[in-house]
Amino acid sequence: MKNLNCVVDISSRAILTFTKSYSCAVAVSQGLINTEPLIIPTALPKVTSMAKQFDLINDHLASTPDAWLTSLPKKLITTEYLTRRKLANLRATYIFSLETHLESVTQRGNINFDDSVMMHLIRAHSMCKPEEDYYSYGVIEYANIQNITPKTAYQEIGLMIESCGLIKIRSFAWMQTCIDKINAVTNTNDFVPVWKDCWEIVKRSAYT
Amino acid sequence: MTELYLANAQKLKDQSNAGAEEWLDIHNFVNVNVCLVDRSQNLKLPYRFKLYDKFKMPRNLSNSLSYEECCERRATELYEKSKQLNLPLYVFYSGGIDSTLVLISLMKAIPENDWSRIVVVMSLDSIREFPEFYYKHIRGKLEIVSSENMSMFFNKKCLIVGGEHNDQLFGTDVISNLQSKIPFETVFKDYDKDTIMRYFIEHKMSEKSSSLWFDIVDDNAKKAPCEIKSVHDFFWWLNFNYKWQAVFFRMLLRVDKQYRHLIDQDFVDTHFHHFYSEEYFQVWAMTNKHLKIRDSWDSYKFHAKDLIYKYTGHKEYRDFKQKANSLHKLFIAKDTPIALTSNYEYLYKVDTNELYVPENDFIKE
């Protein structure tokens, strides 16, 4: 079983929603006062067998201090809790949907290698002074192995950084815009027009 | 009085304006991001669009150059302009057929020791689309810059060279809609109302507007300076006559806010060039319909691909390369205004009533 991502009320420890990604939990938590995102380590066998006792969709649950699951005491199942839970669930659904759609945009910014190389490329690139014909060791290494000039390597690496970086920054910016809109909805009836707005943004970004 | 060069058709939807809905319906078939404008000036549109002077339909079809000669001439003209103004050529390169041929034409026209005036504006997608061309002909030979922030090149410090209008010369982007829907042999048959209407309706146009648009294009085609006879001709004409202007201006519509103040007629005349826009290309397209498609859908733009093959020797690209939609990646996530006026004002809102032309040709009993 994978780890469970959720949003927890920090005072009652009530779990308001489970989300499909941790970033979604962070986004939902941003919009709900007195909450925090949390990971329940259900990837661990002991925790898995504990978690399987519960119906994650219908049961009212809470997290324990050591991030296990337990039933939420009945006295804490208040109207306020139920309202927040409903809101959290709806927001999580919409936000995860956005995340998934925008992934197709974000993935365009991936190169054919582990993403972690990007920070090294950025560093190597930024240390160059092409106007003085000075290139950093990283860029020279790339050039030598690729059998191209350092100048060409510098341009090519620059293209990758710019392409990947701008794509990801755009996705991030669009995501923040949409998260803010969704988190501003307090009445569950108001989700539809807000979602329509966000969908326009997604369409423009991902499916022009 | 406001006149438009280009607008997003969807944003002009207003059922209270008679004729507007029928005019807009064609955009289910063509594309909702553009508006069709009649270069032959036979049609009264329901909204006030101005035909860009340079785009009047050519009437003199004599002295047609070959396609290769058109490419050579255009490349030479751009090179001369670059030298005259002492400005580099920033060539938007996607890796697709059109922009690859633009680059090849320029590299042939410009001596190798002057290739430094060519700057290739590209992205990682450009490499993915035609890797062999990048590694063999661009890398290490031409300067490259990222196209992700394309607006920064609209700064009057270079000559922008795009690859637009080749699709209109060949008819590709409209014809390609039909690929999955009609048997190939149909394209060479004489067009008739039933056949054309069927394709319109399949693209969710209403029967009324399908009939109306057929009559409009058919009437226009009969007055065309070139023969419009087959199904292929009909859809090519629809693209070539009506979509031309929108295609020219759509890149300008996507320029970021901080550069828009630089976009004026002088900018367009001096700094903004689409390689395939010139009249001699259009005359070629109007007098050489047999050179657009051969014996299969894959043969589209075979002529352009043959020229690429002549330079690169890349057989697979010539034989199998199909059109990929590359422009949308350039325009992705752009905060795009709704319309561009003939004074180069960018509009986020339009007053459809103010733009409306009551005596338009889309009002029928």
Side-chain angles (χ1 to χ4, degrees):
Chain A
M1 194 177 183
K2 283 186 179 175
N3 284 339
L4 288 174
N5 308 294
C6 60
V7 177
V8 163
D9 183 306
I10 57 175
S11 49
S12 66
R13 304 307 301 172
I15 292 175
L16 297 177
T17 186
F18 288 100
T19 63
K20 291 204 167 85
S21 69
Y22 186 69
S23 50
C24 184
V26 171
V28 172
S29 174
Q30 259 171 234
L32 282 170
I33 200 168
N34 296 327
T35 63
E36 63 182 8
L38 187 69
I39 294 178
I40 309 283
T42 40
L44 300 170
K46 257 193 184 167
V47 185
T48 309
S49 57
M50 174 274 305
K52 279 184 177 168
Q53 298 168 49
F54 299 105
D55 177 345
L56 299 179
I57 295 172
N58 296 310
D59 287 352
H60 298 289
L61 300 171
S63 72
T64 63
D66 46 1
W68 281 47
L69 288 174
T70 186
S71 293
L72 184 67
K74 276 199 168 70
K75 66 178 181 187
L76 293 177
I77 304 175
T78 60
T79 313
E80 194 201 336
Y81 154 76
L82 290 170
T83 306
R84 270 159 67 87
R85 188 177 185 235
K86 193 175 176 187
L87 198 59
N89 277 328
L90 272 170
R91 286 182 183 171
T93 305
Y94 283 114
I95 290 173
F96 184 70
S97 185
L98 274 173
E99 212 172 71
T100 311
H101 283 296
L102 278 176
E103 203 180 324
S104 66
V105 178
T106 317
Q107 293 311 321
R108 243 192 84 230
N110 285 354
I111 50 174
N112 56 2
F113 200 80
D114 190 321
D115 246 0
S116 63
V117 75
M118 201 40 76
M119 64 181 182
H120 302 292
L121 288 173
I122 291 168
R123 185 166 176 273
H125 190 263
S126 66
M127 287 164 63
C128 298
K129 292 177 193 168
E131 65 280 0
E132 293 172 25
D133 207 28
Y134 168 77
Y135 298 97
S136 65
Y137 187 65
V139 168
I140 291 171
E141 277 283 271
Y142 181 90
N144 287 342
I145 291 167
Q146 289 273 310
N147 201 24
I148 54 179
T149 64
K151 183 182 172 188
T152 300
Y154 174 80
Q155 287 185 6
E156 198 166 282
I157 290 169
L159 187 78
M160 285 181 220
I161 291 167
E162 185 97 7
S163 279
C164 300
L166 260 173
I167 287 164
K168 298 210 175 188
I169 287 172
R170 277 191 197 124
S171 294
F172 177 65
W174 282 124
M175 195 65 198
Q176 302 319 301
T177 307
C178 293
I179 287 171
D180 289 344
K181 283 180 192 284
I182 289 170
N183 277 344
V185 176
T186 50
N187 184 334
T188 52
N189 294 329
D190 294 338
F191 271 110
V192 171
V194 167
W195 172 249
K196 226 178 140 192
D197 220 9
C198 291
W199 181 241
E200 280 302 308
I201 292 169
V202 168
K203 261 195 336 189
R204 198 165 58 210
S205 312
Y207 306 123
T208 303
Chain B
M1 211 164 47
T2 308
E3 290 180 302
L4 304 178
Y5 274 151
L6 167 67
N8 182 319
Q10 253 181 349
K11 308 295 181 185
L12 296 181
K13 203 163 184 172
D14 187 339
Q15 285 171 341
S16 63
N17 293 331
E21 206 170 314
E22 289 78 8
W23 168 69
L24 281 166
D25 217 17
I26 190 71
H27 299 89
N28 287 332
F29 184 77
V30 176
N31 193 311
V32 294
N33 286 331
V34 297
C35 275
L36 301 195
V37 174
D38 180 15
R39 297 171 69 198
S40 308
Q41 298 176 281
N42 292 323
L43 196 58
K44 290 197 201 82
L45 299 175
Y47 294 110
R48 237 180 1 258
F49 281 87
K50 184 179 177 187
L51 178 65
Y52 189 55
D53 275 339
K54 269 181 77 173
F55 294 157
K56 288 181 183 143
M57 184 59 64
R59 293 279 156 187
N60 181 0
L61 305 189
S62 57
N63 303 321
S64 171
L65 301 174
S66 71
Y67 187 71
E68 190 168 6
E69 284 166 343
C70 290
C71 291
E72 283 165 7
R73 179 173 164 179
R74 184 59 163 146
T76 306
E77 284 170 359
L78 287 168
Y79 179 39
E80 291 305 316
K81 197 161 188 111
S82 167
K83 285 193 293 188
Q84 181 203 345
L85 297 172
N86 197 24
L87 290 174
L89 294 162
Y90 272 55
V91 183
F92 277 68
Y93 171 72
S94 67
I97 298 162
D98 304 336
S99 56
T100 302
L101 186 53
V102 171
L103 258 187
I104 286 171
S105 303
L106 288 169
M107 289 166 82
K108 280 159 66 180
I110 300 174
E112 199 168 328
N113 59 11
D114 212 7
W115 280 0
S116 57
R117 62 177 65 245
I118 303 173
V119 177
V120 185
V121 183
M122 58 181 285
S123 69
L124 293 180
D125 289 318
S126 315
I127 300 175
R128 285 176 202 139
E129 194 155 338
F130 196 0
E132 292 81 2
F133 189 79
Y134 170 72
Y135 287 110
K136 203 168 164 194
H137 299 284
I138 296 176
R139 193 198 221 194
K141 298 186 169 75
L142 302 174
E143 190 177 329
I144 62 172
V145 293
S146 171
S147 60
E148 294 297 341
N149 190 11
M150 64 162 222
S151 294
M152 62 189 256
F153 307 121
F154 288 73
N155 57 6
K156 296 195 173 182
K157 292 180 184 165
C158 63
L159 303 182
I160 289 167
V161 181
E164 294 274 43
H165 288 142
N166 209 25
D167 282 341
Q168 282 62 49
L169 298 178
F170 284 89
T172 324
D173 55 342
V174 169
I175 303 283
S176 61
N177 282 345
L178 303 172
Q179 274 193 45
S180 57
K181 297 195 190 305
I182 63 173
F184 182 74
E185 310 75 59
T186 318
V187 298
F188 295 117
K189 292 191 174 151
D190 288 4
Y191 76 83
D192 61 81
K193 188 161 184 172
D194 282 342
T195 306
I196 303 297
M197 274 187 65
R198 190 164 11 109
Y199 303 142
F200 282 159
I201 290 168
E202 270 174 15
H203 282 84
K204 299 192 177 137
M205 285 176 68
S206 70
E207 199 170 319
K208 182 182 173 194
S209 52
S210 299
S211 172
L212 183 57
W213 266 101
F214 172 83
D215 291 342
I216 284 168
V217 179
D218 178 50
D219 180 60
N220 189 290
K222 289 181 167 95
K223 298 171 191 156
C226 56
E227 185 187 61
I228 311 293
K229 193 162 174 268
S230 67
V231 169
H232 178 273
D233 295 342
F234 182 95
F235 286 116
W236 167 79
W237 184 248
L238 177 66
N239 197 356
F240 182 77
N241 182 54
Y242 296 95
K243 206 175 163 187
W244 191 270
Q245 176 155 309
V247 164
F248 181 82
F249 285 109
R250 62 185 172 187
M251 198 184 265
L252 287 181
L253 194 66
R254 269 85 178 173
V255 170
D256 287 338
K257 281 181 191 141
Q258 57 264 47
Y259 297 99
R260 284 177 198 164
H261 66 282
L262 295 170
I263 310 300
D264 54 21
Q265 193 56 55
D266 175 65
F267 176 88
V268 172
D269 289 338
T270 310
H271 298 274
F272 187 62
H273 305 275
H274 283 307
F275 191 82
Y276 301 101
S277 298
E278 298 305 285
E279 190 166 302
Y280 42 85
F281 271 112
Q282 298 175 52
V283 169
W284 173 84
M286 293 163 86
T287 52
N288 288 281
K289 57 181 182 171
H290 60 290
L291 293 177
K292 293 174 191 162
I293 191 168
R294 221 163 19 197
D295 48 7
S296 66
W297 292 118
D298 280 348
S299 70
Y300 240 115
K301 284 187 180 170
F302 72 87
H303 210 42
K305 289 194 275 184
D306 280 346
L307 292 180
I308 293 171
Y309 174 72
K310 216 166 142 180
Y311 191 84
T312 64
H314 199 279
K315 205 161 171 289
E316 200 185 350
Y317 193 89
R318 181 195 63 185
D319 294 342
F320 299 112
K321 178 77 180 95
Q322 294 210 346
K323 177 177 170 60
N325 199 355
S326 43
L327 250 190
H328 87 278
K329 289 171 189 165
L330 197 62
F331 295 162
I332 215 160
K334 287 281 168 205
D335 176 26
T336 311
I338 292 169
L340 182 70
T341 71
S342 54
N343 294 327
Y344 299 99
E345 277 174 68
Y346 288 77
L347 304 180
Y348 278 90
K349 280 185 191 162
V350 288
D351 182 345
T352 49
N353 292 325
E354 196 263 329
L355 287 165
Y356 180 59
V357 177
E359 296 85 37
N360 65 76
D361 289 335
F362 290 83
I363 300 170
K364 284 255 159 108
E365 295 301 314

